[in-house]
Amino acid sequence: MLPLSGERVNAKGIISEKLDSVDTLRGSSTLKRGFAHMQKNGVVMDVTNVEQALIAQEAGAVSVMVLDKLPSEVRKAGGVARTASIKIIEEIMDSVTIPVMAKCRIGHVNEALVLQETDVDMIDESEVLTPADELRHIWKWDLTTPVVNGARSLAEALRRIEEGASMIRTKGEPGTGNVAEAITHIKKVNDGLRTIKSIYDSGDNQELVRMAREFKVSYDIVEQTAKLGRLPVVNFAAGGIATPADAAYLMSLGCDGIFVGSGIFSADDAQERANAIVLATTFWNESDKVKEAQKMIDERQSIPGLDVKTLDLRMQDRGGSA
Amino acid sequence: MSLNLGVLSIQGDILENVLAVKAAIDELGIDGTVTSVRTPDEISNVDGLIIPGGESTTIGRLSVANGTLKILKEKIDQGMPVLGICAGMIMLSKNAQDKVVGKIDQPLLDILDIKLERNSFGRQRESFESDISLNSIGIPSFNGVFIRAPSISDVGSDVEVLSKFNEKIVAVKKNNVIGVAFHPELTRDISLHKYFVNLTNTLKN
């Protein structure tokens, strides 16, 4: 059973049509959020070409995410980062059987429409790319293709869900190989959920209204989420995950799955590391298996990490106040 | 004896199926429990198993790594009832083709003699909901939630067709083995889960 809190039943992205004279519905919340439910307990891997996508599939990734450059390279390159080449996305779609996702810029409606037309399985409205509109994210209810958004707190997550996000991930700090921010973000989301749940359980509606104002979202979505005690959509960890132990720790904090950006294909042991991170995500609660997974990687080949305090560019702040 | 149902806990929407089975057990008033199972030991203790929706390549590869595939096949061959949902139905098949990529090499349980096509209705944008019926098992109307769903174009002589969407076969049964292309666990309708719990209960007693 799928929680459908905050759903808009009259959204433009929902299409009623006949398929060989049978009534069908596409783009409903059940289908868009349901897609994310099929990704649960899995690893989505960032890739930039067919070769990497095949390695990811072989390792047991549940999806690949296509970018022009890995987040760590985006960080070094500077300039404006945009959505990937459509030709490369299509090549990858023709090569793997697992779902293919791609990133568009925050607020860039037409990049999202291009990706929808390309038929990617999910769109990531991502802070890794240069935002096109800092004030307004994409109104995702207009899309038939599901969209995932990053969040650093419960308030940010609920704002994105209210705009139609079908899945949430932590922002972390992309391209750093430093998992600290992702850990902070999931803990903040969890703290927020505990807080509103206890307010809901105490019956203090006035305080829930005050929380909704603070979060800049509607009362309804706060109340429904508080009642549920968790986000009404699937919630993954992302941003800085580099090792099997990183993945296992985030799963233990209640994440539904893992996005790995630069962590795999910026490392020198990509194939082994991809296998190892999938194993650690699946078997996160069996410490002997996580140890075996961790043993498969060589720390000397990990992505060199960056200290978040010294960064010139904090991708996580992009679109965060909106 | 209490009925012991399991949901294969490798990847996919495990919890959603656990909740649906729990609701089915309660509504039927059967003495039973449902747990998520993964290790060969856990699997050997269940009376019936659901293989949930997810990514079949991921579930397949990790079942091999874990030694799960072998015990699963043994138990199902010995008559344990199993319900394979979407990726789970792909796992149950003898061979699978992909609509775009064609021939694929992924670990399967090699049980159902069906001609199966992965991603048969297209990619996520083509995922759809539609009313279907499973009349032969007493479910005249069901909201079929098809997400990047597979379909079956042909079945072996021992496989019963339970439901079709247009000309494509979307649910099959062979004795103790059921495969469906859609996701009952994403709807509020637990009639298919109830059917499965009942089947397991009947076969056990």
Side-chain angles (χ1 to χ4, degrees), chain B residues 22-203:
Chain B
K22 215 171 249 168
I25 289 172
D26 287 352
E27 213 171 289
L28 290 165
I30 284 175
D31 172 24
T33 53
V34 53
T35 48
S36 51
V37 295
R38 183 155 72 203
T39 64
D41 267 3
E42 289 165 347
I43 292 166
S44 66
N45 285 324
V46 296
D47 303 311
L49 181 81
I50 293 181
I51 308 179
E55 277 308 312
S56 60
T57 47
T58 306
I59 298 173
R61 289 191 203 296
L62 287 160
S63 319
V64 173
N66 198 25
T68 302
L69 206 64
K70 192 166 160 277
I71 176 119
L72 270 181
K73 185 162 169 57
E74 278 170 24
K75 288 267 292 186
I76 299 167
D77 283 342
Q78 287 161 15
M80 174 181 72
V82 60
L83 168 62
I85 297 171
C86 194
M89 178 167 80
I90 297 170
M91 287 297 301
L92 290 168
S93 67
K94 280 186 186 287
N95 64 74
Q97 293 256 331
D98 184 82
K99 190 181 173 76
V100 176
V101 177
K103 194 177 174 319
I104 40 182
D105 175 33
Q106 66 184 88
L108 300 170
L109 284 161
D110 194 24
I111 287 167
L112 282 177
D113 181 15
I114 52 179
K115 202 172 166 200
L116 181 140
E117 184 181 63
R118 285 189 57 191
N119 304 320
S120 180
F121 299 92
R123 306 191 72 95
Q124 173 58 19
R125 189 155 62 127
E126 267 64 58
S127 293
F128 64 96
E129 293 182 54
S130 185
D131 270 344
I132 51 166
S133 45
L134 301 107
N135 282 318
S136 65
I137 57 168
I139 303 173
S141 171
F142 199 86
N143 178 28
V145 175
F146 294 84
I147 296 180
R148 283 173 51 94
S151 81
I152 298 165
S153 58
D154 204 5
V155 299
S157 56
D158 54 351
V159 180
E160 180 193 349
V161 173
L162 295 183
S163 184
K164 281 186 177 184
F165 174 80
N166 289 333
E167 283 316 298
K168 293 181 169 182
I169 299 165
V170 293
V172 291
K173 180 172 185 287
K174 178 190 164 187
N175 305 320
N176 56 317
V177 182
I178 303 169
V180 297
F182 49 88
H183 293 279
E185 77 282 12
L186 297 184
T187 70
R188 287 176 192 281
D189 187 343
I190 56 167
S191 50
L192 191 60
H193 283 88
K194 270 161 69 179
Y195 173 79
F196 182 70
V197 171
N198 256 333
L199 177 76
T200 307
N201 200 31
T202 312
L203 286 175

Side-chain angles (χ1 to χ4, degrees), chain A residues 1 19 22-23 25-26 28 31 37-38 40-41 58 60-61 97-98 116 119 121 282 285-286, chain B residues 10-13 16 38 55 57-58 61-62 118-119 123-125 127-130 148 166 183 185:
Chain A
M1 214 178 304
L19 215 66
V22 182
D23 286 325
L25 202 61
R26 296 193 286 125
S28 64
L31 292 164
H37 280 251
M38 297 310 131
K40 281 174 76 175
N41 309 293
E58 186 62 32
T97 61
I98 57 177
Q116 171 166 279
D119 246 349
D121 296 288
T282 307
N285 54 355
E286 296 178 43
Chain B
I10 291 182
Q11 189 272 322
D13 66 341
E16 295 75 354
R38 183 155 72 203
E55 277 308 312
T57 47
T58 306
R61 289 191 203 296
L62 287 160
R118 285 189 57 191
N119 304 320
R123 306 191 72 95
Q124 173 58 19
R125 189 155 62 127
S127 293
F128 64 96
E129 293 182 54
S130 185
R148 283 173 51 94
N166 289 333
H183 293 279
E185 77 282 12

Side-chain angles (χ1 to χ4, degrees), chain A residues 263-289:
Chain A
I264 292 172
F265 292 105
S266 296
D268 296 329
D269 53 357
Q271 173 85 68
E272 279 294 285
R273 193 169 292 253
N275 288 336
I277 291 178
V278 170
L279 283 175
T281 302
T282 307
F283 301 112
W284 63 268
N285 54 355
E286 296 178 43
S287 49
D288 57 328
K289 291 226 169 72

Side-chain angles (χ1 to χ4, degrees), chain A residues 59-121:
Chain A
V62 288
S63 280
V64 290
M65 171 79 71
V66 186
L67 294 89
D68 175 45
K69 298 184 194 71
L70 293 174
S72 57
E73 296 159 3
V74 170
R75 199 172 271 294
K76 280 183 208 146
V80 174
R82 312 181 185 91
T83 198
S85 304
I86 301 302
K87 268 192 185 160
I88 292 177
I89 297 173
E90 287 181 341
E91 270 173 38
I92 292 173
M93 282 170 34
D94 288 340
S95 309
V96 297
T97 61
I98 57 177
V100 176
M101 305 181 180
K103 288 183 191 289
C104 76
R105 284 179 262 178
I106 289 174
H108 202 315
V109 175
N110 278 68
E111 267 190 1
L113 287 172
V114 164
L115 292 176
Q116 171 166 279
E117 211 48 44
T118 306
D119 246 349
V120 302
D121 296 288

